[in-house]
Amino acid sequence: FQYLKRFDQGCELDAFRYEALSVEGSPAECLQLFLLHCGVVDPSWAELRNFTWFLNVQLRDCEASVFCNPDFVQDTLNGF
């Protein structure tokens, strides 16, 4: 949710890191963003769960990767 919210606001995501246990927005806002970005017109709860699980895994791996660390790559992969 934290990434999707910032993405919709046009924020720079390269330097953003997920803040564990921090609460942002309301449950309704969270659900609305998931529905907007999941890619399915009328998703079931299982489809929403799969979308959020997959997105979470991908973003966790991205944060852990040295190749996605802006301090490491600096401007060599700008926009990647």
Side-chain angles (χ1 to χ4, degrees), residues 7-77:
F7 176 77
D8 276 357
Q9 294 171 344
C11 297
E12 177 64 39
L13 296 176
D14 288 341
F16 176 72
R17 293 284 181 249
Y18 167 71
E19 300 170 29
L21 303 177
S22 69
V23 177
E24 293 184 14
S26 67
E29 184 182 10
C30 181
L31 181 58
Q32 183 179 20
L33 275 178
F34 289 159
L35 289 169
L36 181 66
H37 289 282
C38 77
V40 177
V41 175
D42 187 18
S44 66
W45 285 111
E47 290 168 324
L48 282 176
R49 188 247 179 236
N50 289 337
F51 167 72
T52 57
W53 174 81
F54 180 77
L55 183 62
N56 187 51
V57 168
Q58 296 299 308
L59 291 171
R60 188 177 336 134
D61 289 349
C62 180
E63 284 187 353
S65 172
V66 68
F67 298 107
C68 296
N69 183 336
D71 296 328
F72 177 73
V73 296
Q74 306 210 351
D75 65 351
T76 58
L77 297 175

